[in-house]
PDB file of all heavy atoms in Angstrom:
ATOM      1  N   ARG J 838     147.882  20.357  33.351  1.00 93.00           N
ATOM      2  CA  ARG J 838     149.312  20.252  33.174  1.00 93.00           C
ATOM      3  C   ARG J 838     149.726  18.790  32.966  1.00 93.00           C
ATOM      4  O   ARG J 838     150.578  18.486  32.138  1.00 93.00           O
ATOM      5  CB  ARG J 838     150.047  20.845  34.345  1.00 93.00           C
ATOM      6  CG  ARG J 838     149.779  22.358  34.512  1.00 93.00           C
ATOM      7  CD  ARG J 838     150.626  22.970  35.613  1.00 93.00           C
ATOM      8  NE  ARG J 838     151.989  23.192  35.170  1.00 93.00           N
ATOM      9  CZ  ARG J 838     152.835  23.994  35.835  1.00 93.00           C
ATOM     10  NH1 ARG J 838     152.524  24.576  36.920  1.00 93.00           N
ATOM     11  NH2 ARG J 838     154.079  24.182  35.343  1.00 93.00           N
ATOM     12  N   ARG J 839     149.104  17.852  33.734  1.00 94.00           N
ATOM     13  CA  ARG J 839     149.422  16.440  33.551  1.00 94.00           C
ATOM     14  C   ARG J 839     149.012  15.979  32.166  1.00 94.00           C
ATOM     15  O   ARG J 839     149.723  15.209  31.542  1.00 94.00           O
ATOM     16  CB  ARG J 839     148.729  15.659  34.613  1.00 94.00           C
ATOM     17  CG  ARG J 839     149.343  15.730  35.980  1.00 94.00           C
ATOM     18  CD  ARG J 839     148.816  14.693  36.973  1.00 94.00           C
ATOM     19  NE  ARG J 839     147.349  14.871  37.196  1.00 94.00           N
ATOM     20  CZ  ARG J 839     146.926  15.594  38.242  1.00 94.00           C
ATOM     21  NH1 ARG J 839     147.746  16.200  39.093  1.00 94.00           N
ATOM     22  NH2 ARG J 839     145.598  15.661  38.447  1.00 94.00           N
ATOM     23  N   SER J 840     147.863  16.467  31.697  1.00 94.00           N
ATOM     24  CA  SER J 840     147.374  16.033  30.385  1.00 94.00           C
ATOM     25  C   SER J 840     148.274  16.553  29.284  1.00 94.00           C
ATOM     26  O   SER J 840     148.576  15.880  28.281  1.00 94.00           O
ATOM     27  CB  SER J 840     145.942  16.529  30.189  1.00 94.00           C
ATOM     28  OG  SER J 840     145.445  16.119  28.906  1.00 94.00           O
ATOM     29  N   VAL J 841     148.750  17.822  29.419  1.00 91.00           N
ATOM     30  CA  VAL J 841     149.640  18.401  28.402  1.00 91.00           C
ATOM     31  C   VAL J 841     150.926  17.617  28.358  1.00 91.00           C
ATOM     32  O   VAL J 841     151.516  17.314  27.290  1.00 91.00           O
ATOM     33  CB  VAL J 841     149.902  19.873  28.755  1.00 91.00           C
ATOM     34  CG1 VAL J 841     151.015  20.472  27.887  1.00 91.00           C
ATOM     35  CG2 VAL J 841     148.611  20.707  28.579  1.00 91.00           C
ATOM     36  N   LEU J 842     151.489  17.272  29.557  1.00 91.00           N
ATOM     37  CA  LEU J 842     152.753  16.526  29.635  1.00 91.00           C
ATOM     38  C   LEU J 842     152.589  15.172  28.949  1.00 91.00           C
ATOM     39  O   LEU J 842     153.447  14.744  28.197  1.00 91.00           O
ATOM     40  CB  LEU J 842     153.179  16.319  31.070  1.00 91.00           C
ATOM     41  CG  LEU J 842     154.481  15.533  31.314  1.00 91.00           C
ATOM     42  CD1 LEU J 842     155.627  16.197  30.625  1.00 91.00           C
ATOM     43  CD2 LEU J 842     154.745  15.386  32.831  1.00 91.00           C
ATOM     44  N   ALA J 843     151.448  14.510  29.185  1.00 93.00           N
ATOM     45  CA  ALA J 843     151.229  13.205  28.590  1.00 93.00           C
ATOM     46  C   ALA J 843     151.159  13.314  27.065  1.00 93.00           C
ATOM     47  O   ALA J 843     151.691  12.431  26.352  1.00 93.00           O
ATOM     48  CB  ALA J 843     149.942  12.587  29.134  1.00 93.00           C
ATOM     49  N   TRP J 844     150.497  14.382  26.592  1.00 91.00           N
ATOM     50  CA  TRP J 844     150.406  14.574  25.121  1.00 91.00           C
ATOM     51  C   TRP J 844     151.826  14.857  24.516  1.00 91.00           C
ATOM     52  O   TRP J 844     152.142  14.368  23.444  1.00 91.00           O
ATOM     53  CB  TRP J 844     149.447  15.722  24.812  1.00 91.00           C
ATOM     54  CG  TRP J 844     149.121  15.820  23.371  1.00 91.00           C
ATOM     55  CD1 TRP J 844     148.134  15.185  22.702  1.00 91.00           C
ATOM     56  CD2 TRP J 844     149.717  16.669  22.394  1.00 91.00           C
ATOM     57  NE1 TRP J 844     148.068  15.555  21.408  1.00 91.00           N
ATOM     58  CE2 TRP J 844     149.084  16.458  21.184  1.00 91.00           C
ATOM     59  CE3 TRP J 844     150.770  17.596  22.463  1.00 91.00           C
ATOM     60  CZ2 TRP J 844     149.431  17.141  20.001  1.00 91.00           C
ATOM     61  CZ3 TRP J 844     151.185  18.263  21.319  1.00 91.00           C
ATOM     62  CH2 TRP J 844     150.479  18.010  20.068  1.00 91.00           C
ATOM     63  N   ARG J 845     152.578  15.678  25.172  1.00 87.00           N
ATOM     64  CA  ARG J 845     153.962  15.952  24.698  1.00 87.00           C
ATOM     65  C   ARG J 845     154.714  14.657  24.544  1.00 87.00           C
ATOM     66  O   ARG J 845     155.455  14.452  23.594  1.00 87.00           O
ATOM     67  CB  ARG J 845     154.695  16.861  25.695  1.00 87.00           C
ATOM     68  CG  ARG J 845     154.269  18.322  25.721  1.00 87.00           C
ATOM     69  CD  ARG J 845     155.111  19.074  26.763  1.00 87.00           C
ATOM     70  NE  ARG J 845     154.673  20.370  27.073  1.00 87.00           N
ATOM     71  CZ  ARG J 845     155.065  21.496  26.444  1.00 87.00           C
ATOM     72  NH1 ARG J 845     155.912  21.374  25.468  1.00 87.00           N
ATOM     73  NH2 ARG J 845     154.578  22.674  26.790  1.00 87.00           N
ATOM     74  N   GLU J 846     154.602  13.755  25.523  1.00 89.00           N
ATOM     75  CA  GLU J 846     155.435  12.522  25.533  1.00 89.00           C
ATOM     76  C   GLU J 846     154.925  11.540  24.509  1.00 89.00           C
ATOM     77  O   GLU J 846     155.697  10.604  24.116  1.00 89.00           O
ATOM     78  CB  GLU J 846     155.397  11.929  26.947  1.00 89.00           C
ATOM     79  CG  GLU J 846     156.115  12.753  27.985  1.00 89.00           C
ATOM     80  CD  GLU J 846     156.059  12.175  29.380  1.00 89.00           C
ATOM     81  OE1 GLU J 846     155.206  11.312  29.576  1.00 89.00           O
ATOM     82  OE2 GLU J 846     156.812  12.628  30.250  1.00 89.00           O
ATOM     83  N   SER J 847     153.667  11.601  24.096  1.00 91.00           N
ATOM     84  CA  SER J 847     153.107  10.616  23.200  1.00 91.00           C
ATOM     85  C   SER J 847     152.942  11.108  21.770  1.00 91.00           C
ATOM     86  O   SER J 847     152.487  10.373  20.945  1.00 91.00           O
ATOM     87  CB  SER J 847     151.745  10.129  23.733  1.00 91.00           C
ATOM     88  OG  SER J 847     150.826  11.225  23.734  1.00 91.00           O
ATOM     89  N   SER J 848     153.323  12.316  21.495  1.00 88.00           N
ATOM     90  CA  SER J 848     153.165  12.861  20.155  1.00 88.00           C
ATOM     91  C   SER J 848     154.496  13.426  19.667  1.00 88.00           C
ATOM     92  O   SER J 848     155.432  13.675  20.433  1.00 88.00           O
ATOM     93  CB  SER J 848     152.098  13.976  20.122  1.00 88.00           C
ATOM     94  OG  SER J 848     152.467  15.028  20.977  1.00 88.00           O
ATOM     95  N   THR J 849     154.599  13.601  18.344  1.00 85.00           N
ATOM     96  CA  THR J 849     155.780  14.117  17.728  1.00 85.00           C
ATOM     97  C   THR J 849     155.449  15.327  16.874  1.00 85.00           C
ATOM     98  O   THR J 849     154.509  15.363  16.086  1.00 85.00           O
ATOM     99  CB  THR J 849     156.430  13.029  16.833  1.00 85.00           C
ATOM    100  OG1 THR J 849     156.683  11.882  17.584  1.00 85.00           O
ATOM    101  CG2 THR J 849     157.693  13.532  16.174  1.00 85.00           C
ATOM    102  N   LEU J 850     156.263  16.376  16.994  1.00 84.00           N
ATOM    103  CA  LEU J 850     156.153  17.568  16.179  1.00 84.00           C
ATOM    104  C   LEU J 850     157.393  17.670  15.274  1.00 84.00           C
ATOM    105  O   LEU J 850     158.506  17.426  15.713  1.00 84.00           O
ATOM    106  CB  LEU J 850     156.060  18.849  17.043  1.00 84.00           C
ATOM    107  CG  LEU J 850     154.834  18.984  17.923  1.00 84.00           C
ATOM    108  CD1 LEU J 850     154.987  20.184  18.846  1.00 84.00           C
ATOM    109  CD2 LEU J 850     153.603  19.188  17.059  1.00 84.00           C
ATOM    110  N   SER J 851     157.174  17.955  14.012  1.00 82.00           N
ATOM    111  CA  SER J 851     158.272  18.121  13.077  1.00 82.00           C
ATOM    112  C   SER J 851     157.950  19.227  12.094  1.00 82.00           C
ATOM    113  O   SER J 851     156.814  19.525  11.837  1.00 82.00           O
ATOM    114  CB  SER J 851     158.541  16.831  12.337  1.00 82.00           C
ATOM    115  OG  SER J 851     157.382  16.447  11.544  1.00 82.00           O
ATOM    116  N   VAL J 852     159.013  19.825  11.544  1.00 82.00           N
ATOM    117  CA  VAL J 852     158.853  20.869  10.538  1.00 82.00           C
ATOM    118  C   VAL J 852     159.575  20.412   9.246  1.00 82.00           C
ATOM    119  O   VAL J 852     160.736  20.119   9.272  1.00 82.00           O
ATOM    120  CB  VAL J 852     159.405  22.252  11.013  1.00 82.00           C
ATOM    121  CG1 VAL J 852     159.273  23.289   9.900  1.00 82.00           C
ATOM    122  CG2 VAL J 852     158.677  22.694  12.259  1.00 82.00           C
ATOM    123  N   GLU J 853     158.825  20.379   8.215  1.00 82.00           N
ATOM    124  CA  GLU J 853     159.318  19.946   6.904  1.00 82.00           C
ATOM    125  C   GLU J 853     159.566  21.175   5.973  1.00 82.00           C
ATOM    126  O   GLU J 853     158.705  22.068   5.884  1.00 82.00           O
ATOM    127  CB  GLU J 853     158.310  19.019   6.250  1.00 82.00           C
ATOM    128  CG  GLU J 853     158.633  18.636   4.782  1.00 82.00           C
ATOM    129  CD  GLU J 853     157.486  17.915   4.130  1.00 82.00           C
ATOM    130  OE1 GLU J 853     156.371  17.801   4.751  1.00 82.00           O
ATOM    131  OE2 GLU J 853     157.660  17.509   2.976  1.00 82.00           O
ATOM    132  N   ALA J 854     160.763  21.198   5.396  1.00 81.00           N
ATOM    133  CA  ALA J 854     161.024  22.220   4.365  1.00 81.00           C
ATOM    134  C   ALA J 854     160.799  21.590   2.993  1.00 81.00           C
ATOM    135  O   ALA J 854     161.495  20.599   2.677  1.00 81.00           O
ATOM    136  CB  ALA J 854     162.445  22.757   4.495  1.00 81.00           C
ATOM    137  N   ARG J 855     159.907  22.141   2.202  1.00 83.00           N
ATOM    138  CA  ARG J 855     159.601  21.527   0.926  1.00 83.00           C
ATOM    139  C   ARG J 855     159.464  22.601  -0.137  1.00 83.00           C
ATOM    140  O   ARG J 855     159.086  23.732   0.113  1.00 83.00           O
ATOM    141  CB  ARG J 855     158.329  20.670   1.034  1.00 83.00           C
ATOM    142  CG  ARG J 855     157.032  21.463   1.237  1.00 83.00           C
ATOM    143  CD  ARG J 855     155.902  20.594   1.534  1.00 83.00           C
ATOM    144  NE  ARG J 855     154.641  21.335   1.561  1.00 83.00           N
ATOM    145  CZ  ARG J 855     153.475  20.830   2.016  1.00 83.00           C
ATOM    146  NH1 ARG J 855     153.427  19.550   2.459  1.00 83.00           N
ATOM    147  NH2 ARG J 855     152.379  21.553   2.045  1.00 83.00           N
ATOM    148  N   GLN J 856     159.691  22.181  -1.350  1.00 83.00           N
ATOM    149  CA  GLN J 856     159.598  23.106  -2.465  1.00 83.00           C
ATOM    150  C   GLN J 856     158.110  23.268  -2.885  1.00 83.00           C
ATOM    151  O   GLN J 856     157.344  22.298  -2.923  1.00 83.00           O
ATOM    152  CB  GLN J 856     160.378  22.571  -3.686  1.00 83.00           C
ATOM    153  CG  GLN J 856     160.586  23.615  -4.792  1.00 83.00           C
ATOM    154  CD  GLN J 856     161.601  23.097  -5.784  1.00 83.00           C
ATOM    155  OE1 GLN J 856     161.920  21.913  -5.840  1.00 83.00           O
ATOM    156  NE2 GLN J 856     162.131  23.985  -6.631  1.00 83.00           N
ATOM    157  N   ASP J 857     157.724  24.537  -3.129  1.00 84.00           N
ATOM    158  CA  ASP J 857     156.336  24.767  -3.540  1.00 84.00           C
ATOM    159  C   ASP J 857     156.205  24.199  -4.959  1.00 84.00           C
ATOM    160  O   ASP J 857     156.884  24.581  -5.868  1.00 84.00           O
ATOM    161  CB  ASP J 857     156.112  26.302  -3.575  1.00 84.00           C
ATOM    162  CG  ASP J 857     154.655  26.633  -3.884  1.00 84.00           C
ATOM    163  OD1 ASP J 857     153.933  25.783  -4.373  1.00 84.00           O
ATOM    164  OD2 ASP J 857     154.277  27.816  -3.666  1.00 84.00           O
TER     165      ASP J 857
END
Side-chain angles (χ1 to χ4, degrees):
R838 298 185 78 165
R839 287 193 293 269
S840 179
V841 170
L842 178 61
W844 190 85
R845 287 181 191 268
E846 293 177 346
S847 64
S848 61
T849 302
L850 294 173
S851 61
V852 178
E853 173 190 3
R855 68 188 187 192
Q856 193 170 16
D857 185 344

